[in-house]
């Protein structure tokens, strides 16, 4: 029974996606709008720096600050000693 439902759901998703792709208009990315003034494109080095190096560097700075400013002790909590029974 689950196989039938999965097949039905897959067909529905595939059909919906296909219909949406067929009904969408092209993006017209090559046609300029009035007042459109795009700048120069990024070089490969600029793109890698912006989308690869900068996020990694930001992550490293935040992780370093967290490690440096961490106030917790490095020792693991000690187990409580068992209480002595009174005789």
């Amino acid at each position: 029974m689950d196989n039938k439902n999965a097949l039905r759901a897959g067909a529905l998703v595939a059909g919906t996606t296909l219909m949406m792709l067929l009904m969408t208009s092209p993006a017209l990315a090559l046609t300029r709008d009035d007042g459109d003034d795009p700048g120069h494109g990024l070089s490969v080095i600029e793109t890698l720096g912006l989308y690869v190096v900068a996020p990694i560097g930001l992550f490293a700075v935040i992780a370093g600050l967290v490690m440096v400013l961490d106030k917790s002790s490095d020792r693991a909590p000690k187990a409580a000693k068992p209480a002595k029974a009174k005789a």
Side-chain angles (χ1 to χ4, degrees):
M1 194 62 149
D2 289 332
N3 193 15
K4 223 179 205 184
N5 287 339
L7 202 58
R8 186 178 296 142
L12 180 68
V13 168
T16 304
T17 304
L18 183 62
M19 289 304 294
M20 289 185 73
L21 285 173
L22 290 174
M23 295 177 71
T24 56
S25 61
L28 300 173
L30 296 177
T31 305
R32 298 280 181 223
D33 291 330
D34 291 337
D36 191 14
D37 187 21
H40 67 282
L42 297 176
S43 70
V44 174
I45 299 299
E46 291 171 333
T47 303
L48 288 175
L50 184 63
Y51 294 110
V52 176
V53 176
I56 291 173
L58 187 62
F59 175 80
V61 166
I62 293 172
L65 286 172
V66 168
M67 290 190 319
V68 167
L69 299 175
D70 186 19
K71 299 292 185 192
S72 65
S73 64
D74 293 335
R75 293 177 282 161
K78 294 181 181 179
K81 294 181 181 179
K84 293 182 179 179
K86 292 185 179 180

